[in-house]
């Protein structure tokens, strides 16, 4: 490390107020299944979350697991059929999905974090009534929408300075489980726990102005702009649930939502503790 | 309900002191995978646990899942090989085992309990360092022993009047997961959380004096008697880990351990709240 | 005890939700002097109250003492004269009444309860300003009405998990004592301490539809029905103050008032913890 | 009031440190039945106790009632027979004694104090196991010794800034009541509640050097001197239990015991808040 | 001390209710620089404040220091010029004023109090933003008005049973210090900390009806009378800021303001704890 | 700010564990009068302390004021005479010293910090008995040693998340003030408040190996080495009290003492939050 003291001093002077400002604030981080499938990247994300936690930020992790689910379904010889971006899910697929998310992807994140100390706990939407679900569309089978969030366990773990890692299986009033899109859940939870920030770690550099130009990242956008984009459908595939989550979050009082590239080294730290903005930031219009 | 008041009054007079005595006391219940595979029985056990919880008993559930694991391994075309009652477990089998226990069996119990209200939370041994494991025998692969129990999360959930439902996957210091026998874990946890009772819900009427005579149930036994039985190996197959759990528990201060038949209607209520003893009770010799 | 397990299990399954529902709730029990004069009955009532207390019910006992007062007045050669059910009370009679209630009847109940452990404390309406009284009618002498209840000491003892046993001597602002009907006081206290139930242990099976027919017990009645009965005066002698207490209680938010026969074995337990209703239950009309 | 300011200032300067020193300290005051039989004197004593309480002293009152008991026994036609200063007490006499102490004398003190506000609560030795008694001598009948004091309720009331007024009826393990000498009980309670002072309000000016000379008051004495006096029996009649109480108290850690004349105007205030000592002070010898 | 007990008892009986009434109440005492310049008087005032504190009064001391400031300015060869009773204050004079008030007068009071125990802490208006100031008049230089009081530190010290001793240097938003009249600050602080009394210890016997007649002390006055006096300007020199402070205080809810002569022996004790009023008392008109 | 993200990320990854490790830890910073005399430097030091405070470090500032004292003594025409590095201090010099330290230097630091918010409070050794002093040597006059530290007020302010700024005037049991070397006081206070670090901000780059070679800074030293240096007297002038403070601190449990150059930009931040050591670090030898 050859950083000269003056530079370090400048970076620290800049970072400390951010660190102060975020202490005891809640930040929800959503990571996709693809980033988690890369062991080294998964380890770096876990490490950054531990650092955030170490300076007093209340961190919540919400994870997806698309590629992992597809792989297990394949092994079971079940073809995945998608309708408007949602995987049609019969009872057996749901059971497999639940096993993968709760019994594998979630476990792997918890393990990576707990290598730094016993601070992470896996939670699924069925635990303590965290996510009340309802069926989205009979044709999709056991794919759910978020009907309500009961943030009790999440807030409780945060108050104990622990890190909840959330799988997005919800249950309806009868106990029937549903698979719910993790981007959408992340937005609902961020709103429910009064997060100041919701950060989507994706495989894109942000929201693109022009889908064909990867350099056309939108630096900032308001909820009205996002709403227009959703109506235009002029957005990347897979970005739609993120934008729904964004809208839900900022309209529930979350200060800002960020869509950033999980591949940027220590993307979370740069986003949170420097003046440099990366990716796309969405806030409420005034 | 045709019970005449005098009988009800007598039963109540008898039960209330037990209820008083068990309030705010911790009872660990271990249920095997076989009982849980029977939907109706699983539902009754969950209901009894909710009743216990309702009168202030701090309940911990520890579950196994042998039949369920075998079934999924079969579907993956992996033959189960056993050595001295332990399933030889390679990396892939471990991943499958973890998915079944954490992502399926645990989920099903949590769901059954939470139908009565949001009071159950699934926890695995990897969460918050609950179970520190070590390899039992290199030949068995990822089969572990309990090296230490960190009961923080269990005690914390109990203090919040919640019901932890525990899957018995532990992790060593490097984060490597191991499958651990649930009977053994139940004993270790009962000791670590200062339980007054540990109840094994099994498919037997208790410990048999004479293996060939199902009516030869031993009503009471001390730890020294149990130790002798273990050395003699004069015990039923599969009973060994239970007895190890028993010894560990009573020697860690658990008041009594009970081996009872899960098929007895409301076995938990009868055991806890009436003068009638069922199954086998193990205590410390004086 | 020959109760078979299934029956016990059924009664327990039924009772546990009642026990849960009543935990930390307050129940006021009023016992008349006649029941207390029977040593065996007094002992059973004390025992039932201790059981109620043992499962977390906050119990308040209010007692009368008519026969005991009459006896002592007789020994002092003072004839008891009654006007509309109230004993005309001169200064000396008041002093004797107070000695009997506070110094004898109350003491006997406290002793019976404390045989089970140091949990009962005798309190009189003069202590800490519990019952502010005013003269009812100059012709009756030192017979009082309840002007106000200051429940501080009662609530405080309940919060300490103790059982207050209350004698119904009140005092006015100058410190002048008055004897007040215990049925009326019980209703006022039940309202003041937010009791969920007020139970009158009497020597009748309940409120009778037809005074000449002891089997014509009214199972349930609303406050408006009770009000009509009071106006009609179509009620048993001595029942009037109970009904005034009832009205006062349910209109102050007490969930239900019960008039039951103290002679029924374990009447309190049957009333509180089984589906079987006994005696008369009075609630607010909707 | 013609006191000139300088004198008032001097008295206040002197008194304030005493007031500071006694704040949150416990002082036990024992008053005999004779002083309480004088309405005006009883009222002044109650007033002084209220003033003590008002400046933060934790006050406990223990009362006797000899003359009042004798009077009621007379009315019942029961002759009082004394053996070595103790009244022989049969079952009926005990019941009468209890009625007088708990139901009359105690009540009168509570009333006088509560005229200043709801701060006094009557307590008897049977309440919450306050005084565990044992029979003193079978020939004396139901006359008891103090076997143990459970100060819970007294300390609890003091912590709530209330004034316990204590009748000295104790009970043995079976609930059997006994009458116990109030001077002795006062000493035992003062020790049990860590009182700094125990004050006996008597009808004498203190302990006399020479029984025939009322001016021979002993100003100060140590426990060894008191012990010698007890052995010599060279003390006034009725002084013996006081001296036993003294010894018990100072040897249990009570700072000083004072025997003063209840007839001295505001004797309690003069004793506690001025440099002027009155009566006899007993302390531990060093 | 030759005070006979009855007189002492009478004074104590009178004083105790005042002592009770003032416990946990806040009293602000303002002492001028002249009284503090007299070592013996300063010591007596400190002693009286310690006595007040000892009986539970929450005491705040606010001090001036005019003579001391003049003396140091003289030594520095700086002439003091006054405009309408305010000392024109340039930057150097402000620095000297601050050194004298904070570094000398305040220190001397703290020392005198702390001779009785570690209970006093010097605080200046710049500490923790206690006094937000603004310039009074550019011609006066660094002479300030009170713009706002942030009583946090004062209330906090009072809650810890400590005595804050306050120097009246305030600061504006930029950190620029100002000297502010101590009489005015005392009124503002008394209002901000919900004091029941504000006492000005002055070198006068009170507010005079007739400036030429020192016996014409006004015993009581209301805020409207004071307002009229201020408008008439018919008041003693130097009394104006006190009266402004009075008005501010009583209109902010302070019960009464007293202007008394610091030379009266133990003036504070006589004022607070006897029926005798001294000096002038100002209250709100009804 | 041209720092590229990767560098910032690296510095942050490095700094965050330090920030975590120091949260809720106490750091005592001693600044000399010379650094404080430079307005810009004083402002930067105050800013760095505010940043430290903002990330949860409990900061205590101890200040000197040599040049400022000399200047005022000069204006008063009092020559400063030094004996072994201590200024001979008569009564008048003491008063002037106290005025300068408490009324000027302390005030200026408090003002600089409070420009960032109301978080600093000036405290002197006389307040609440913080520093109990004793005379060092009669020939030196009112120059004191630290006899004891009562850290109550410092710990209390830290617990309230406030910054105490301490002037080093102590008082003996009679209230007599003494001037005490600030370096020595800093060491005593660091030990008394269980500080993890004590940092001396000086005008040197650290402790020099060779007094004639400014580049011969000793990077690390143990207490035994420091002790040897003190005995050898082979140290810079003015360094002696710092080394005494060092020894006292590390031997009282302070983790490390640092002597660094106040002129290094953001010296405190670089020292605390980077891997780069600057100046001299002293720790206990093992």
């Amino acid at each position: 490390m050859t950083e000269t003291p003056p530079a370090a001093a400048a970076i620290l002077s800049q970072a400390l107020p951010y660190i102060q400002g975020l202490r005891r604030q809640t930040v929800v981080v959503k990571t996709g299944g693809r980033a988690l499938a890369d062991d080294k990247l998964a380890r770096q994300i876990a490490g950054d979350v531990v650092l955030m936690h170490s300076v007093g930020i209340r961190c919540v992790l919400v994870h997806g697991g698309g590629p992992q689910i597809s792989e297990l379904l394949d092994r079971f010889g079940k073809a995945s059929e998608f309708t408007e971006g949602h995987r049609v899910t019969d009872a057996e697929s749901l059971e497999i999905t639940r096993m993968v998310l709760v019994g594998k992807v979630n476990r792997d994140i918890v393990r990576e974090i707990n290598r730094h100390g016993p601070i992470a706990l896996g939670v699924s939407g069925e635990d303590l009534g965290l996510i009340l679900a309802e069926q989205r569309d009979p044709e999709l089978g056991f794919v759910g929408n978020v009907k309500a969030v009961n943030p009790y366990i999440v807030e409780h773990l945060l108050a104990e300075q622990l890190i909840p890692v959330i799988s997005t299986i919800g249950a309806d009033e009868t106990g029937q489980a549903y698979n719910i899109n993790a981007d959408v859940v992340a937005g609902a939870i961020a709103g429910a726990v009064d997060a100041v920030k919701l950060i989507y770690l994706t495989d894109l550099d942000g929201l693109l102005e022009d889908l064909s130009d990867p350099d056309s990242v939108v630096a900032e956008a308001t909820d009205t702009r996002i709403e227009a984009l959703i109506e235009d459908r002029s957005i990347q595939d897979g970005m739609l649930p993120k934008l729904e989550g964004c809208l839900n979050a900022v309209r529930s009082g979350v200060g800002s939502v960020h869509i950033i590239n999980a591949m940027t080294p220590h993307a979370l730290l740069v986003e949170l503790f420097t003046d440099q903005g990366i990716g796309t930031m969405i806030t409420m219009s005034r």
Side-chain angles (χ1 to χ4, degrees), chain A residues 43-241:
Chain A
R43 189 157 294 186
Q44 192 185 80
I45 292 170
D48 284 357
V49 167
V50 170
L51 285 172
M52 287 162 61
H53 174 263
S54 76
V55 291
I57 296 175
R58 300 151 65 108
C59 305
V60 178
L61 243 80
V62 178
H63 69 85
Q68 292 87 342
I69 294 167
S70 295
E71 188 194 332
L72 198 67
L73 287 173
D74 280 356
R75 289 194 59 173
F76 274 92
K78 295 189 70 84
S80 291
E81 183 196 340
F82 285 84
T83 298
E84 297 211 338
H86 291 284
R87 194 191 309 262
V88 177
T89 305
D90 61 14
E92 190 184 28
S93 299
L94 174 68
E95 192 160 301
I96 292 166
T97 298
R98 191 167 66 157
M99 282 201 299
V100 171
L101 289 179
V102 178
K104 177 171 164 41
V105 181
N106 186 295
R107 290 297 92 200
D108 288 344
I109 305 174
V110 165
R111 182 193 60 217
E112 282 306 327
I113 295 178
N114 283 351
R115 293 161 65 101
H116 299 266
I119 50 179
L121 178 78
V123 182
S124 179
E126 293 168 284
D127 289 310
L128 302 176
L130 173 57
I131 305 172
L132 182 63
E134 61 187 356
Q135 195 172 39
R136 187 181 183 91
D137 177 348
E139 301 205 354
L140 291 171
F142 297 107
V143 171
N145 281 337
V146 176
K147 194 168 164 193
V149 168
N150 175 352
Y152 168 76
I153 184 62
V154 175
E155 288 177 341
H156 195 72
L157 293 169
L158 292 176
E160 292 294 308
Q161 298 175 30
L162 300 173
I163 301 176
V165 178
I166 301 174
S167 302
T168 60
I169 301 292
D172 68 13
E173 287 85 352
T174 71
Q176 171 62 49
Y178 290 92
N179 182 24
I180 315 183
N181 183 287
D183 290 328
V184 171
V185 170
I189 284 179
V193 300
D194 295 326
V196 291
K197 281 177 190 280
L198 163 60
I199 302 176
Y200 286 105
L201 283 176
T202 69
D203 47 9
L204 297 166
D205 284 336
L207 183 64
L208 298 188
E209 186 76 50
D210 172 353
L211 295 188
S212 60
D213 175 7
D215 287 345
S216 67
V217 170
V218 178
E220 300 192 16
T222 63
D223 62 318
T224 40
R225 171 97 184 271
I226 296 299
E227 202 166 37
L229 284 174
I230 293 173
E231 280 173 17
D232 283 4
R233 302 246 153 195
S234 59
I235 42 176
Q236 299 100 315
D237 198 39
M239 188 58 87
L240 188 61

